[in-house]
Every structure is written in C-alpha cells, then in structure tokens.
C-alpha cells in the first residue's frame, strides 16, 4: 500500500504513522524525521533545514523534493510506504506524482484536531524533548503555515477520491482504531 498521512502539527501524524507502518509492514518515511536525522549528523542539508524549521516555516522544495526522491528509490519502498509530512504544498503534490510515475497513492489519511489541543500537546512535547520548533510562538506560526499551504491539499486529494478523514482527538489507541476502521485493512 502507498499511503500518506497529513494533519496540522500536533494532530498525531508521526505518532500514528509508527503504528500504521508497523501493522502494514511498510516503511515509515517522515520528512521531519529525515531533516532531524540530517541535523544530528551535521549534514549541510540538515543545517539548511534547521533555519526554516526553527522558525516554523517550510523547508524549500529545492531541499525537500530531492531528499524524498532519494528515499523513495530505496528498495524497501518499492512495494509500498507511508509518507508522513510530505507532500505539504500543492507544488510538492506535483513532484510526488512525477516520482511515483503512475504507481499512485492508495489512500491519504487526514487527522483533524482542535488548535487548542495541538498547542497543549506540542508544549507538553517541548517539556519532554525540547524540540526547538515547539515554542508557543513557533507552534502558532506552524499552524498558520499549515492552514495556508497544506490545508488546500485536502480538497485536492478528496477530488481524487482517496481521502480518509479521521478525528485525532481521542487517546492514541482510539485514534489508531479509528484509522484502521476507515482504511478497511
Ligand atoms: P514534522 O516532524 O512533520 O512535525 P509535526 O507537524 O510537529 O508533526 P509530528 O508528526 O512530529 O507530531 P505529532 O502530531 O505526531 O515537521 C517538522 C518541520 O519539518 C515542519 O514544521 C517543517 O519546517 C519541516 N518539514 C517537514 N516536512 C516538510 C515538507 N514536506 N516540506 C517543507 N518542510 C517540511 O505529535 C505531536 C505530539 O502530540 C507528540 O508529543 C505526541 O506524543 C502527542 N500526541 C499525539 N497523538 C496524541 C493523542 N491522541 N493524545 C495526546 N497526545 C498525542
């Protein structure tokens, strides 16, 4: 299966993606995790991405698209994958379509959650993990960027008939169950 998971920051994408990928035996490919891994390794890509991530802005397509293209060429992604956090813009959708060359996405999972709840979750994560982009000011900016640049993808994928919208407000386990009930797998 070729799946995407989307949703505002803090809706639970990364959290749910781990469970979905494990159950379906597909690789979990998170652009946020790839950027953070590059940063930990001190690569030039990681250092470039950090400038944008710390401000709550999207990393430029010139950096992001090539990174995803390289990852999808790896053998483990040949039979399926769960992409988490990509595409995030209409231009990235077109790039991804090109990369897939007709092996289209089967389903796009969109997690929904209230703004107040996501801010609470991310501030809690800040206490536990100290991520530089989990300050209240940056979280609010990330929510704005999501509304401006990523929310339009919901209509785009709905028009393709592959959108699955799932409420992200219960416990992690409840949300996982809701996702599988909607995916019918
Ligand atoms: P991401 O790593 O994708 O960050 P995120 O939006 O915060 O989501 P994440 O998946 O980590 O968190 P989740 O909601 O699961 O991106 C980071 C940055 O990278 C972006 O801002 C951007 O700069 C850059 N970037 C990434 N992809 C890009 C692209 N394609 N183009 C350009 N730039 C890109 O979890 C949040 C918290 O909620 C966790 O602490 C979790 O424990 C908690 N939680 C989850 N579910 C819960 C539940 N049901 N109940 C209570 N808490 C819950």
């Amino acid at each position: 299966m070729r799946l995407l998971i989307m949703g505002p920051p803090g809706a639970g994408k990364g959290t749910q993606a781990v469970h979905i990928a494990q159950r379906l035996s597909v690789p979990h490919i998170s652009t946020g995790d790839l950027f953070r891994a590059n940063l930990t390794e001190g690569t030039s890509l990681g250092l470039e991405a950090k400038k944008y991530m710390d401000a709550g802005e999207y990393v430029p397509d010139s950096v992001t698209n090539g990174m995803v293209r390289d990852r999808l060429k790896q053998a483990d992604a040949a039979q399926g994958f769960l992409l988490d956090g990509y595409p995030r813009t209409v231009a990235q959708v077109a790039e991804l379509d090109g990369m897939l060359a007709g092996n289209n996405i089967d389903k796009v999972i969109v997690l929904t959650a209230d703004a107040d709840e996501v801010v609470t979750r991310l501030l809690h994560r800040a206490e536990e993990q100290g991520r530089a982009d989990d300050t209240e000011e940056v979280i609010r900016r990330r929510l704005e960027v999501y509304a401006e640049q990523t929310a339009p993808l919901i209509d785009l994928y709905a028009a393709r008939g592959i959108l699955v919208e799932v409420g992200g407000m219960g416990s992690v386990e409840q949300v996982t169950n809701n996702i599988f009930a909607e995916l019918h797998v």
Side-chain angles (χ1 to χ4, degrees):
M1 265 199 133
R2 293 181 179 82
L3 299 173
L4 308 183
I5 188 161
M6 293 175 46
K13 298 186 295 298
T15 306
Q16 294 300 329
V18 171
H19 296 288
I20 300 165
Q22 196 172 26
R23 199 171 320 173
L24 299 180
S25 300
V26 291
H28 168 209
I29 301 175
S30 156
T31 41
D33 287 351
L34 289 172
F35 288 134
R36 285 184 288 275
N38 270 277
L39 186 58
T40 304
E41 289 163 18
T43 69
S44 54
L45 186 153
L47 294 170
E48 176 70 9
K50 178 177 166 47
K51 292 191 268 181
Y52 298 92
M53 293 170 80
D54 285 358
E57 305 295 335
Y58 286 167
V59 179
D61 285 358
S62 54
V63 178
T64 309
N65 290 331
M67 181 180 77
V68 174
R69 187 181 296 275
D70 289 347
R71 180 64 187 86
L72 289 180
K73 278 187 195 149
Q74 290 178 23
D76 66 340
Q79 302 305 321
F81 50 78
L82 172 59
L83 260 179
D84 161 11
Y86 184 93
R88 259 177 158 97
T89 63
V90 173
Q92 290 181 5
V93 172
E95 278 292 324
L96 178 63
D97 288 343
M99 290 176 212
L100 295 177
N103 293 318
N104 291 335
I105 296 296
D106 296 300
K107 298 273 183 205
V108 177
I109 303 157
V110 178
L111 289 178
T112 56
D114 315 336
D116 287 345
E117 167 73 9
V118 304
V119 174
T120 305
R121 286 181 187 179
L122 294 174
L123 290 175
H124 181 67
R125 180 167 71 183
E127 282 170 23
E128 290 186 337
Q129 297 178 16
R131 241 172 76 169
D133 58 345
D134 281 343
T135 65
E136 181 146 9
E137 190 190 349
V138 175
I139 294 165
R140 299 267 175 216
R141 178 61 193 148
R142 286 159 62 200
L143 286 167
E144 280 173 11
V145 173
Y146 178 84
E148 285 161 13
Q149 299 197 45
T150 307
L153 274 56
I154 295 174
D155 285 348
L156 193 156
Y157 282 120
R160 295 188 187 182
I162 54 173
L163 195 81
V164 175
E165 203 161 355
V166 178
M169 292 293 285
S171 68
V172 171
E173 193 183 5
Q174 280 165 349
V175 177
T176 309
N177 290 340
N178 293 344
I179 291 171
F180 279 102
E182 292 290 332
L183 283 179
H184 307 295
V185 288

